[in-house]
Amino acid sequence: MRLRVTALAGLLTLTLATVAACSAAKGGASPARSQAPGTGGTLVVGMTSTDLPNTDTVLNGQGFEGKRFVGFQLYEGLTRYDLSKPEGVAPLTGALATSWTHSDDARTWTFELRQGVKFHDGTPFDADAVIANYDRYTKKGDPHATAALQAAAGEYAGSFASYRKIDDHHVEIVTKTPNGHLPDDVAHLYIASPTAFGKETPVGTGPFRFGSLVPGQRLELLPYKEHWRGAPKLDKLVLRPIPDPAARLAALRSGEVNWIEYPTPDDVTALKDGGFQVPTNGYDHLWYWILDTTKKPWNDVRVRRAANYAIDRESLARDLLRGTADPAYQAAPRATAAYDQAGDVYSHDPAKAKALLAEAGVPDGFETTVVVPTAGSGNLLPVPIAESLQRDLAQVGIKVTIRTIEWGTLLGQEASGKVPFGADAIAQSTTLFQSEALLPLFLGTDSPFWTGHYSNRKVDELLAKAAASPEQATRSASYREALGLVTQDAPWLFVVNDRNPRALSPQVKGLVQPQSWFLDLTTVTVTK
């Protein structure tokens, strides 16, 4: 997330607002139109999250929606995703580093830092700032760290063995084992101004700077005019958590906001007919159920495969989700380099499902319980989807009880290795390849997070083999093989791959919809 440790951290109370900031931001939403002639206008986004993302570096929370609108807007890592094109998986490029090299064993990495960059508070970015941030993320006893922050950073800094300043413009990172995807990892380790550690206002080098905050209601970000890539075109970016889909739609239609995340599929046609824009694109997304592979009868691979054959994901994607998602017949999302069309295994075949259940000794089916979030980043229509699957599974004798829970609470419990309500399965949305460091956390043996206790030592070996290579093509081949094994093992119920729909007013211009969870908002404008 999506991001279980990050999500756990996101449950913490936001602590970065000041009384002055709150007072300045009181009142209704900013008008969803330009405030002055010839300017880039104000973009007001209605997010799916139940709360605003945390603004303290890696503690964004709220799944990747928090990184999309807050983390990657306020901050930058040494690298970033190039989100300027709609075609192909978004490539990695330089951010606070301009180039990097690695040793033959892919353990020692040297990054050349971008010169002339300043933080939002005017202090210079240099190697000392990188080291101070990495100390905060990894060093026990660091005065500016918290357990939650270091746990969240551990997703991406967990491979660090050491790091050091070579000179003002070069840093070196040595990893515990070969790590070919380290440049991807450091994109998620934001660099904040050390002068702002422990203070109430977040300070990074990102394209937007902190404006004001009303906790739980609205966060305003302003363009950073001295940004090294050039200033964003917008005058202001306003973020509002609106978890209820009907409320988000009403806010868009009334002009209270001019952008909403995930419009309800049933509303897409009417929105388009009304002149609204509804861009979509495939990306690294899977909506699925994690099955507890240690509980009977889910401990039998035949039962897990039976469930995958039982569901009509084609009708679900077509009729319920109205084409805003694609059926997922395997573990690898379609819009990733690990996807193999030949690996599309699980067609809708109730007869085969019943035969497998009979072979597994449960010809009459069984009862099971799934926990489903009510909303949240990338979760589409979680409860209606679960109810559709419930009906399909009932046709082959699998009787499902659905228990609902708030998204942040669910992720927080997963991060602690727990299953809410003691259920047999958890429904959720996740990424697999946008952040390669997360793969062992989702699929590896003995993961610290709740993953249904799935274990396949060959998968572990392939993930380690992939990590050892700095070549993307080599890593993708190993991932493809590993995910093929996961597909056969069926520790998950593979459901759909989202196409990332969002709805924009006709006045919003300049958005590029990439094949990514993330967005470049520097090109966006809002006209009168």
Side-chain angles (χ1 to χ4, degrees):
M1 269 182 265
R2 87 97 95 218
L3 336 179
R4 299 167 187 173
V5 171
T6 305
L8 173 61
L11 298 177
L12 302 177
T13 303
L14 292 171
T15 60
L16 302 175
T18 63
V19 173
C22 293
S23 299
K26 286 180 179 178
S30 296
R33 62 180 185 271
S34 178
Q35 298 299 294
T39 65
T42 296
L43 180 66
V44 187
V45 178
M47 303 169 62
T48 68
S49 57
T50 54
D51 198 356
L52 284 167
N54 196 319
T55 56
D56 183 357
T57 56
V58 296
L59 288 176
N60 301 147
Q62 304 303 326
F64 269 9
E65 195 173 48
K67 288 192 174 188
R68 179 185 309 140
F69 291 113
V70 175
F72 282 133
Q73 307 308 325
L74 285 172
Y75 302 101
E76 294 167 309
L78 298 183
T79 60
R80 68 182 181 91
Y81 299 106
D82 181 351
L83 304 168
S84 62
K85 296 180 177 63
E87 304 87 9
V89 177
L92 204 69
T93 189
L96 293 178
T98 57
S99 62
W100 47 93
T101 58
H102 58 81
S103 60
D104 290 342
D105 65 358
R107 286 192 59 217
T108 302
W109 292 77
T110 302
F111 291 84
E112 181 172 353
L113 305 183
R114 191 176 299 278
Q115 298 185 38
V117 175
K118 291 186 176 181
F119 289 102
H120 300 156
D121 61 4
T123 57
F125 162 76
D126 55 18
D128 289 328
V130 176
I131 299 305
N133 277 270
Y134 287 179
D135 281 351
R136 186 175 183 238
Y137 290 150
T138 67
K139 191 174 181 180
K140 289 185 178 180
D142 185 272
H144 304 296
T146 64
L149 181 132
Q150 292 194 342
E155 292 184 3
Y156 302 101
S159 69
F160 286 14
S162 64
Y163 48 87
R164 69 184 180 95
K165 169 185 174 180
I166 297 175
D167 57 39
D168 285 347
H169 307 303
H170 295 83
V171 295
E172 177 188 89
I173 301 173
V174 179
T175 58
K176 299 170 185 174
T177 57
N179 184 358
H181 55 70
L182 183 71
D184 177 87
D185 299 348
V186 296
H188 298 265
L189 293 171
Y190 310 137
I191 306 300
S193 172
T195 62
F197 289 172
K199 296 184 179 179
E200 294 174 329
T201 299
V203 179
T205 64
F208 290 88
R209 60 183 177 85
F210 181 79
S212 62
L213 170 69
V214 178
Q217 297 181 41
R218 82 194 256 120
L219 171 64
E220 293 189 358
L221 304 181
L222 303 174
Y224 180 39
K225 295 182 179 179
E226 288 75 39
H227 189 253
W228 59 270
R229 284 200 293 135
K233 296 181 179 181
L234 289 170
D235 299 316
K236 187 184 295 183
L237 170 62
V238 180
L239 305 174
R240 296 183 54 203
I242 310 178
D244 180 69
R248 283 199 306 277
L249 179 64
L252 178 67
R253 289 191 176 280
S254 70
E256 186 179 346
V257 304
N258 44 33
W259 172 314
I260 61 171
E261 290 292 278
Y262 200 72
T264 302
D266 283 345
D267 295 318
V268 166
T269 298
L271 283 167
K272 290 180 177 179
D273 290 345
F276 291 93
Q277 308 167 70
V278 187
T280 66
N281 204 347
Y283 68 118
D284 179 20
H285 173 278
L286 177 67
W287 199 95
Y288 65 122
W289 289 7
I290 303 173
L291 307 174
D292 192 334
T293 59
T294 62
K295 280 188 177 182
K296 293 182 178 181
W298 291 123
N299 64 330
D300 192 319
V301 67
R302 294 169 295 186
V303 173
R304 301 195 299 269
R305 290 173 180 167
N308 272 288
Y309 282 116
I311 64 173
D312 189 356
R313 48 181 69 76
E314 299 90 344
S315 295
L316 191 155
R318 182 187 63 244
D319 301 332
L320 177 62
L321 300 179
R322 304 289 184 180
T324 61
D326 296 314
Y329 303 103
Q330 60 173 282
R334 291 170 179 252
T336 67
Y339 175 73
D340 181 0
Q341 189 171 357
D344 281 347
V345 174
Y346 296 108
S347 59
H348 182 218
D349 192 339
K352 190 167 187 174
K354 289 180 180 180
L356 283 167
L357 290 173
E359 185 180 328
V362 283
D364 298 324
F366 58 95
E367 296 183 0
T368 193
T369 304
V370 62
V371 177
V372 182
T374 53
S377 177
N379 271 300
L380 317 180
L381 301 176
V383 176
I385 292 174
E387 290 171 343
S388 176
L389 300 177
Q390 181 186 48
R391 291 189 291 271
D392 288 343
L393 292 167
Q395 294 298 312
V396 300
I398 302 175
K399 306 169 190 67
V400 178
T401 297
I402 297 172
R403 299 290 300 272
T404 58
I405 193 171
E406 189 270 330
W407 177 228
T409 303
L410 169 60
L411 292 179
Q413 292 198 34
E414 278 186 288
S416 302
K418 299 176 182 177
V419 182
F421 312 120
D424 308 316
I426 288 178
Q428 66 179 45
S429 145
T430 198
T431 178
L432 289 176
F433 298 98
Q434 183 90 58
S435 304
E436 295 177 38
L438 299 179
L439 271 166
L441 302 182
F442 289 124
L443 297 170
T445 299
D446 299 324
S447 170
F449 312 122
W450 192 80
T451 60
H453 309 105
Y454 174 62
S455 175
N456 182 323
R457 295 297 179 181
K458 180 61 176 177
V459 171
D460 296 339
E461 292 172 8
L462 286 165
L463 295 181
K465 178 182 176 182
S469 175
E471 301 299 325
Q472 181 65 60
T474 302
R475 295 203 305 278
S476 295
S478 294
Y479 292 146
R480 196 173 300 116
E481 186 177 352
L483 269 291
L485 293 175
V486 174
T487 299
Q488 293 296 328
D489 290 342
W492 302 339
L493 187 66
F494 315 113
V495 185
V496 291
N497 302 133
D498 181 31
R499 291 191 55 80
N500 213 6
R502 45 184 50 93
L504 285 59
S505 80
Q507 287 72 43
V508 178
K509 310 290 185 183
L511 172 68
V512 174
Q513 177 101 341
Q515 289 189 13
S516 173
W517 286 83
F518 310 123
L519 295 168
D520 185 346
L521 298 179
T522 64
T523 61
V524 175
T525 62
V526 180
T527 61
K528 284 187 176 181

